[in-house]
Amino acid sequence: MEKISVAVRFRPSTAQNHLPDDRHWRIDDNRISLHRSLGTPISSVSFAFDHVFDQSSTNGTLYNQLTKPIIDAAVHGFNGTAFAYGQTSSGKTFTMNGSQEDPGIIHLAVKDIFHSTQMITDREFLIRVSYMEIYNEEINDLLSLGSQKLPIHESLERGIFVAGLREEIVNTAEQVFELIKLGEANRHFGETNMNARSSRSHTIFRMVIESSIKEPMSSGDVSNADAIRVSVLNLVDLAGSERIAKTGAGGVRLKEGKHINKSLMILGNVINKLSESGRQRAHIPYRDSKLTRILQPALGGNAKTSIICTVAPEEVHVEETRGTLQFASRAKRVTNCAQVNEILTDAALLKRQKLEIEELRTKLQGQHSEVLEQVILKQRNDMHKSELECEKLAMELEEKKISRSTRAALKGTGKEDQRTYYVCQSR
Ligand code: ADP
Ligand code: MG
């Protein structure tokens, strides 16, 4: 068992003037407390975290201290998740995406992953990425414009997954950056008020890292050689949290549901429950929102998780900052139990593709290695794409069957219109 690591980051101030009695946040090592300009603390409450990064910190510093251990572990088979949480314009996107001069967590993580996998010469790696957005409780694929409102499914083999989401197998960091660029372009597509949207949507950038030993260690050691490590890494830029603080989780009524960010409110509830004593863990409301359902294994489960809470230092944001620090304090009490995921079944893509790729390698022997890798990458992506397509069709068929049988069961009862409800419930 290990605790979720939680850091707070202050973005540089944009305030022009300070009044004499301005309240301001003071950082003492890993503690934060609220003071008046004259120096007196406003209350005795101070918050303690794993790290506190002040206004002068860079994304690089934050990455090295908070996120890098999660990335290194992901390469070795541990699931990992890093969130940025905070009110709008507190620096979440800056932290995750960064700038030209100060690349963000995602950029640094991608670079590190490819660097690490190149250093590990005795294992073969297969890395794939996806990029999705949750907007108004709908999941949209940022890598494929046609795929909107995707459903969440669960199977024994795959666990919880977003059906129909494009996954692209990648060989280099540059290929990933191209895909991210495509995702960002799709995110803005057709939106007139991009800022309003981005503050109400979550993005999940995901990398799945599979690896297996290149050669069997000895002919007798087949089981070890066959085991494939599979880890999922989620890098999440959350919606602005200010609405929760203003509405209060308890006072949210159904008709307002359209206007508040439901997933973020449920995330708060999930963190609250998880931070309570162990016995209440049985009733964690993961299924109440798409975000918490997708990230279920990362919250109170099998993953190494870090939360970067971004806050604005200005006096005008004191209440929002306090809300964020309270969320961060509760998150600090949550424990996870991460373990290396080794699987022997066909659930690993690396295993399913093994024969075809070996055949292709033999066929193309003697080719320039760069050409060979390109052909293999294309073959891998083609195979994976048709697999995902088959899976999607199978699920659509299954849904039609359920819908038909529900309709048949309701026929003559006057409740035919309930079928949609039942189909949704089955998801
Ligand atoms: P959010 O995603 O939380 O809504 P942004 O990341 O878009 O907020 O940040 C709002 C503005 O503040 C942006 O112009 C961004 O470049 C700037 N900013 C945020 N954090 C930092 C930082 N640590 N250093 C420099 N500029 C920052
Ligand atoms: Mg943002």
Side-chain angles (χ1 to χ4, degrees):
M1 301 293 276
E2 63 183 291
K3 289 216 152 45
I4 288 184
S5 50
V6 182
V8 174
R9 181 186 204 183
F10 282 86
R11 71 147 162 70
S13 175
T14 51
Q16 305 291 321
N17 307 308
H18 291 279
L19 300 171
D21 66 342
D22 254 1
R23 295 173 296 173
H24 68 270
W25 296 98
R26 199 166 97 184
I27 302 171
D28 295 301
D29 205 9
N30 289 335
R31 301 192 78 84
I32 302 172
S33 48
L34 190 58
H35 287 247
R36 294 210 182 277
S37 284
L38 300 173
T40 48
I42 286 177
S43 80
S44 56
V45 181
S46 76
F47 300 90
F49 303 98
D50 297 306
H51 302 275
V52 178
F53 297 97
D54 68 14
Q55 318 192 358
S56 65
S57 63
T58 62
N59 287 329
T61 319
L62 187 139
Y63 174 79
N64 282 327
Q65 292 193 31
L66 189 76
T67 328
K68 190 172 167 39
I70 290 179
I71 305 303
D72 291 343
V75 172
H76 291 97
F78 290 92
N79 292 337
T81 297
F83 294 95
Y85 177 101
Q87 73 171 110
T88 298
S89 91
S90 57
K92 297 181 296 296
T93 304
F94 183 83
T95 302
M96 298 313 289
N97 294 359
S99 61
Q100 199 79 29
E101 305 75 46
D102 189 11
I105 303 298
I106 294 179
H107 186 100
L108 297 169
V110 170
K111 282 247 161 189
D112 242 7
I113 285 170
F114 284 97
H115 178 72
S116 301
T117 52
Q118 272 158 17
M119 291 291 130
I120 304 171
T121 50
D122 60 344
R123 297 188 76 85
E124 179 189 1
F125 283 88
L126 181 65
I127 300 174
R128 53 193 201 267
V129 300
S130 57
Y131 198 15
M132 66 190 120
E133 173 192 63
I134 306 174
Y135 178 57
N136 280 345
E137 273 305 278
E138 280 165 2
I139 304 168
N140 302 324
D141 192 342
L142 290 177
L143 297 185
S144 165
L145 263 187
S147 302
Q148 310 282 295
K149 303 187 188 177
L150 299 174
I152 298 173
H153 284 269
E154 187 169 11
S155 75
L156 268 181
E157 280 236 311
R158 290 191 62 185
I160 301 159
F161 64 99
V162 177
L165 189 69
R166 178 177 166 194
E167 283 189 331
E168 192 76 18
I169 300 169
V170 284
N171 274 351
T172 63
E174 282 63 36
Q175 285 166 357
V176 181
F177 298 144
E178 281 305 311
L179 288 168
I180 291 174
K181 228 189 264 172
L182 170 73
E184 291 303 314
N186 284 348
R187 192 179 184 192
H188 303 160
F189 184 81
E191 277 300 316
T192 45
N193 191 347
M194 190 191 92
N195 283 344
R197 175 171 182 150
S198 75
S199 69
R200 278 184 286 121
S201 73
H202 316 284
T203 55
I204 304 177
F205 173 73
R206 178 173 276 190
M207 293 180 89
V208 181
I209 305 169
E210 294 188 0
S211 74
S212 65
I213 292 177
K214 269 186 184 157
E215 297 290 332
M217 306 232 262
S218 71
S219 50
D221 199 9
V222 178
S223 64
N224 195 20
D226 273 2
I228 292 178
R229 287 183 189 161
V230 182
S231 54
V232 178
L233 178 70
N234 298 300
L235 301 174
V236 187
D237 186 0
L238 290 173
S241 65
E242 61 280 355
R243 282 164 190 272
I244 311 182
K246 287 205 173 110
T247 330
V252 180
R253 289 192 301 275
L254 208 59
K255 65 176 180 184
E256 290 169 328
K258 215 171 116 196
H259 307 292
I260 59 139
N261 196 309
K262 184 181 163 193
S263 342
L264 210 51
M265 187 188 78
I266 307 296
L267 176 67
N269 290 350
V270 165
I271 295 283
N272 274 352
K273 291 264 179 192
L274 285 171
S275 66
E276 288 168 0
S277 66
R279 220 188 288 164
Q280 273 112 331
R281 279 193 164 210
H283 310 287
I284 312 293
Y286 293 115
R287 284 171 182 267
D288 286 1
S289 84
K290 302 262 164 67
L291 176 75
T292 47
R293 183 81 174 118
I294 293 173
L295 297 177
Q296 187 171 342
L299 297 162
N302 176 17
K304 289 176 179 284
T305 302
S306 74
I307 304 188
I308 306 148
C309 291
T310 55
V311 290
E314 296 86 8
E315 147 100 71
V316 59
H317 296 304
V318 159
E319 289 317 315
E320 303 292 6
T321 298
R322 207 198 299 264
T324 301
L325 296 180
Q326 272 156 357
F327 173 88
S329 294
R330 282 193 300 268
K332 236 186 85 61
R333 294 207 292 271
V334 177
T335 49
N336 271 355
C337 182
Q339 56 197 35
V340 172
N341 302 308
E342 279 205 325
I343 56 174
L344 289 159
T345 65
D346 271 1
L349 191 60
L350 202 53
K351 182 147 188 182
R352 292 202 300 278
Q353 295 191 342
K354 202 175 166 103
L355 279 182
E356 286 91 339
I357 299 302
E358 267 168 19
E359 254 173 41
L360 193 65
R361 277 218 166 97
T362 323
K363 226 191 269 173
L364 296 174
Q365 241 171 16
Q367 293 265 1
H368 194 277
S369 72
E370 221 166 82
V371 177
L372 179 68
E373 287 315 312
Q374 266 173 18
V375 178
I376 289 176
L377 182 66
K378 183 168 181 319
Q379 166 97 350
R380 287 203 133 129
N381 267 314
D382 288 348
M383 283 196 290
H384 189 43
K385 214 168 150 188
S386 53
E387 245 188 25
L388 289 176
E389 198 55 39
C390 285
E391 185 185 75
K392 195 173 152 202
L393 290 174
M395 268 176 320
E396 280 170 8
L397 199 66
E398 186 62 25
E399 263 170 32
K400 270 194 192 134
K401 265 195 220 156
I402 294 172
S403 164
R404 213 176 300 141
S405 60
T406 314
R407 217 168 7 198
L410 292 173
K411 201 169 178 191
T413 64
K415 293 179 181 168
E416 285 88 339
D417 58 336
Q418 286 189 8
R419 64 184 179 271
T420 327
Y421 170 75
Y422 288 114
V423 173
C424 289
Q425 287 284 298
S426 73
R427 287 181 175 179

